[in-house]
Amino acid sequence: MVQTVRTVVIEGEPDSIEILQKLIDDFKAEEEGPPPDFVYKYDRLKMRAPALHFMSMSIFEAADYDPIFVIETNFDGLDGPIWAQLEAAIPSLRAMLRCCKRPAGPLGDVYDAISYRDSIFPLAPYLEAHMVKPRIFHLGNRGLDRTRILRESELFVACQDELMNAETRNPNPYRPATASEIHQRLRAALRPKFSWLDEPASPRIPKLENLTDRLRLIGLVLAVLLCLSIPGLLLALVSHSWVAIAISLAAAAMAARAIGDLGDLRQLIPKSASPGGKLKATIAGICGLTLYVLVFSFIGAAILALLTPVTFLGALKANFIEMLKAALLVLAVGLFSVLAILWWLRRLERRDPSQDEPPINDKLMREILKSEDHIVQNHMGSLVLVKPGALRAVLIRIGLVGLGLLLRVTARDGYLGDMRTIHFAHWALVSNESRLLFLSNFDGSWESYLDDFIEKAHSGLTLAWANGVGFPPARFLLLEGATHGRLFKAWARHSMTVSRFWFSAYTEYSVNQIERNAAVANGLRRVRFDNAEDAKTWARNL
Amino acid sequence: MGAEPVKPKGEADAGKWGLTRPQWKDIQSFVASGLSQLPWGQALFLQIDRPGGGWLRSLRALEPIKKGLGPINNADGLFEEAVTIAFTWTGLQRMGLSDETLKTFTTPFREGMHQEDRRRRLGDEATRGTIVREGLQWSGNVPPEDPSITPAASPKTVHALLLLYDWDEGAVERWALSVQTHLNTQGVTVVHRLPLSLNLDKLDKEIVAHEHFGFTDGRLQPEPYLQPPAGNADETYRWRGIPLADVLLGYPNFHNNNEIAPCPLVPFSDQSTLRADGAPEGYLNLGLNGSYLVVRELRQDVAAFWSSLESAAATMRKQGPHSSAITADWLAARIIGRQLDGSVLCPPGVTAPQNDNFGYLANDPYGFGCPFGSHVRRANPRDGLARDARSGPNLLDAANHHRIMRRGRNYGEKIADRMVDDGKNRGLLFMCLNTDIARQFEFVQQTWLLNPSFATLFNETDPLVGPKGPMTIPEDPLRRVIEVETYVKLAGGEYFFLPSVSALDYLQGL
Amino acid sequence: MTSTDVLRPPPSDIKSRIKAWLMNWAMAHVGTVFRLLRAVWPIPHFGKFAAVTRYDDVKEVFASNSKFSVTYQAKLEVIMGKPQFFLGIDDDAQHNRATDAMRTVVRPADIPVRLVPAVLAAAEQAVAKAGGRIEVVDALVRQVTFDVLCDYFGTPDPPGADMRVWATRLFEFQFADPGNDPVLRKEVDVIAPAMQAHIQNLIDERKKSRGSKDDVLGRCIDKQAQGEPGFSDDDIRSALIGFVVGGLPQPPMVVPQALEQLLRRPAILAEAQQAAKDNDDKLLAGYLFEAMRFDPLAPGLMRIAAVDRTIAAATPRATKVAKGTSVLVAFSSAMMDERRIPEPRRFNPRRLPHEYMHFGFGMHTCFGIHINQALLPLMLKPLLKKDKFRRAPGRAGHLTKRGAFADTLSVEYLP
């Protein structure tokens, strides 16, 4: 089943923020109570919002903005039902919304309708009107819905109990058995209680979703290439001689030289890449370039034809060389465009102020630390200003969307780089896209999470966050940045607010453990293992 | 747990880690080595009753402290005693360090080991059963920054730790008593004293240290470097190399930015012997060549540990012929992650590496030799958290960003029969050096040792220092799980600042 | 005086029959129409008529009772005479005073101790009496409903007449006669005064024998004697007529309709039967109300815009309706709106309360919601417990409808 990430961002009424805080705190206290008629903490929310994986409510205060009230939801299925569920699950939600500003325009009327005393006017549309879609998000256990996660966890625990009970038996029937026999015995013991083992598991990433992700990524790449080709195409209108190609290449070389540290981009090649891998990558690069030249020589010719039919007819009569020349010109100018953009970017980066010692609100920090490290997972909410300028505006959008699509296509097993500790994380642009909001639900401590970013996934993280004001100095949007570990941590801490209310539907399970539960369940769904090696591999998860 | 392996006396320490001889002159000997030449010691926990640094000046003038406190003095190739001193935040405050300077110390040091959130992260909550029955005995009793929070006070307040090392057990005790008498005249009380030892034993021609459970100790230490060694040729650096900045304050940190982490600072003065290195304009670097010392007094219940393992092994043997080889030693080795003699646990058919330069990924990816959850593998996972060979080097690098330099010693006498409780107090005075407490010691404790989801494990923590719970021993085709009680408990602990020699000069002038 | 059949006979002339057939066909496919409307024209609006089809908008109109008033008052006056029944009141305070008063006599506490055992006993008796085959609409549900609740209200059959006929006819007039059928009106003009007289008669008699029986009527008389407001003879009479007319004809509609939905889904029916056998009443209720979602009481309810008003403001579908516009509030469509109901076409007996609007929403939420939620599933419980439960052979085994009403549905089982 598909998982969705949506966040509601509403401007708070500055004078009512303390009431809002109290309402959120009270709601938390109520849920931890647990509420009357419920046995376990957070059961009311868990039952009334059955699609919810993680949810948080926080208030971000800032010197130059009024406070904003942020409700983060990570849930199963498409968006829509979740808002009705939240309305039913959070009794004080209406009171919370009353602490927010009355919006301008027709939404103001809706605000009046939901906020008058004793109103029962539906809240879902109002929440939806303030909903923000993430620019990029990452799912740790993609395609596993909450019901499945919970019941596979239950199965795992039952497996552990069954095996634990057997340990005290004399002799232990599981001990001399082969992996296949262990599988048979466990399956026989657990099937009566877990009848769903006989149902096939639905595919985690449906074929259609898979295909759309790939197509969208290809589409984005093509669109970017097309944009980069425009100057070349325009130039090709005027001339497509060898001279023009040579001048463009020379200009590209000069731009590269002007950048100075272009060679450092080689750092992006993984250290561990084998010589064979490097060769493969080179061949793939050359093939890609050739394909690009061929495709764009065609597209270029077609566009030329549209704009200047006479030339096109001439070109048609002329030989392939003419077409190729035009294509090479497009490529050469494109190369120049890329390098010019990089030069411009590096120029911005060199002049970017980075904040080495961002001010930290001690009281807030105390609250943040107090709220951390109570369960296996932790939550982080951060809000930063977006760096100004046209190039930044473009790069942040393309960067986030591109990285997001790339993750959808490549990071399908929950690994982000070499880290697999994120359940749900996303970046969104808020406050009319002037600020970048980051919300994450991750395993382990905040320190270890940030260290993971610093050590295992810094390029991607830098790409996403380097457009934030004050981020540690980055190069080419990808290099350094987050590797300035101490600066990065200080910067990240200062951008955070306390997650006043935070809900996890499965507080005991890490991303890894959920995958392990799924592997155990998938094995037990099978009637038998035909291959002894497969059985062995499976049994290692027990 | 514990100290470095015994080295031949008089090993040349100049040039070590890439530091020059003059640099070493400014560094307390404790940083450079575990001082295993001096197997006996005394730990004096001091409470400073009178403000100022005068007591330190008079202490440093005292023979043989004068000789032993400071750098390793191996002009003659030998030295007969060594002294180390370190201070808690409350100690520095008591000595009269200004608030402005006190604020420049790192947050964990400023807040103390027993700040409530830190306690939760370090697993030091009494409810988890990891604290000795009578409760925490000593700490720095650092007051919370927010006056509205009630401090978690321990009965004894420690302001400084004075370590005296010698080659003779009796001599060091006499020395300690004389120092104690002297300190009393200076308005300093010894609130707690622990006799320290290395439990040396001769094993295969080599003299090795043991901790109280009987395991050889002190084999696994990182190898600091000032300049990253060129190329990948050196195996030691590849597997164990860490930047010197992780051990000593005031040096460039890892990564490509050569940045120097902030150090405690004092206002500039012409008279001071302190240097400015890395300090902002108008300040001197109080931290240069110093370090932070984490101290935890961990009480070990040796007899209970071994008897519980004997009975667990007996129960497991009943499961059938496949389990007949299980003994208490076998289980203990899985809990620690090494054989009693210190050799590496390897899966069947794999030859144990002869030195410490190895990873888990190539030889033991499934933990069939050294279990994922064993103390040693948790405390330093090397490349064992990598998902595949490709990510191995990266994960090894990542793991090496969290190393600590261990300097611990046993306290209390060696047990005569490991199965018989003699009612005596013994354990490990865990000590380690690091410069970023949060990234190093606390990370190891929280993210590796006490992480219930460490590696691919579920709901289990370190079998040695964690609370009571299960521990998985991987095996094909089916893992074993044993329940382990807590036989190592915290009796006291605090974060200390271990100053350089010139910083000591500064402090005694307060 | 009027026909003695509970449901009016089907029309005899060809024109009316074609009309009825078309009506039936339309009703059977109204879900598809709504689905289409929800997607392309969620608030259809022409002239003095509008409809809301999406969950949010349905809730919005229901919630805005001061902006969209109920349309019941005129016909209520025909049925009850002048005094007001709360169903016709739009003012919150006035409405709530009336319902609060009635809640002191129709008490939630009665449900577990009195109504639940009575319904179970009556249903069991009906099933046992029928042998191996029963007609669900009349012989089971209507029988049980009227027997148990008339006893509870203290409103027995009038002498020589059948309460089921009177109530159903008046119900049809009030709620299911948008075309104002003159034939029906003629009947109503006879039944309504008779009903009023009958209830007044009951009130008068009970005043003479106060305390003889603990039922709603008896409690009302007591309250009147204690001088509590809201319990004049007029109030009591209107309320009792309201309960009997407004409430009792509904279970014989929705319960057989729900059973028909279950019968169409054999696997789910088996699960529901298992829930009945396990005495898991909560889950059984889940099956029943989920089944009802696929064929609810009606496509929607009517409201009249009391002022000029924009529905779904600040959305692309925002629609301004003028004062006096009739608005069909399609709660059946709301319960199928995938924008708020997860996987609406999936049969899921464990849905959340907010996903249902069987009893309306807001001020005019069904007064008997708690009674219905508890009792409706129990009416089927004894039947579902039976082994070899199945449709009767032939057409009788499929639910037929007559106008808005369920007509017949026969099932067989091992007695």
Side-chain angles (χ1 to χ4, degrees), chain A residues 170 366 372-373 516 540, chain B residues 115 120-121 318 456 476:
Chain A
N170 183 7
R366 181 84 288 127
E372 285 175 357
D373 299 320
R516 183 179 169 197
R540 282 174 192 158
Chain B
Q115 192 271 342
R120 182 172 67 246
R121 296 207 297 273
K318 283 189 202 141
T456 54
D476 252 348

Side-chain angles (χ1 to χ4, degrees), chain B residues 54-71:
Chain B
W55 67 274
L56 181 60
R57 183 186 298 276
S58 85
L59 179 74
R60 290 179 78 196
L62 201 68
E63 287 291 350
I65 288 198
K66 194 173 171 183
K67 199 162 74 179
L69 179 56

Side-chain angles (χ1 to χ4, degrees), chain C residues 289-364:
Chain C
F289 292 110
E290 177 67 355
M292 270 169 67
R293 202 170 60 85
F294 290 88
D295 189 3
L297 181 69
L301 297 172
M302 293 308 292
R303 291 287 189 271
I304 304 274
V307 290
D308 288 358
R309 176 79 179 168
T310 303
I311 303 174
T315 68
R317 64 180 188 281
T319 302
K320 194 166 178 183
V321 293
K323 182 178 173 181
T325 307
S326 302
V327 181
L328 174 70
V329 190
F331 67 88
S332 69
S333 171
M335 290 191 288
M336 284 289 170
D337 185 359
E338 65 275 14
R339 285 155 201 84
R340 294 288 175 250
I341 313 296
E343 299 180 88
R345 278 170 291 284
R346 194 165 75 87
F347 192 105
N348 176 5
R350 292 176 180 82
R351 284 192 188 272
L352 300 164
H354 78 264
E355 292 172 36
Y356 293 109
M357 272 193 256
H358 288 307
F359 301 101
F361 176 72
M363 190 175 85
H364 288 290

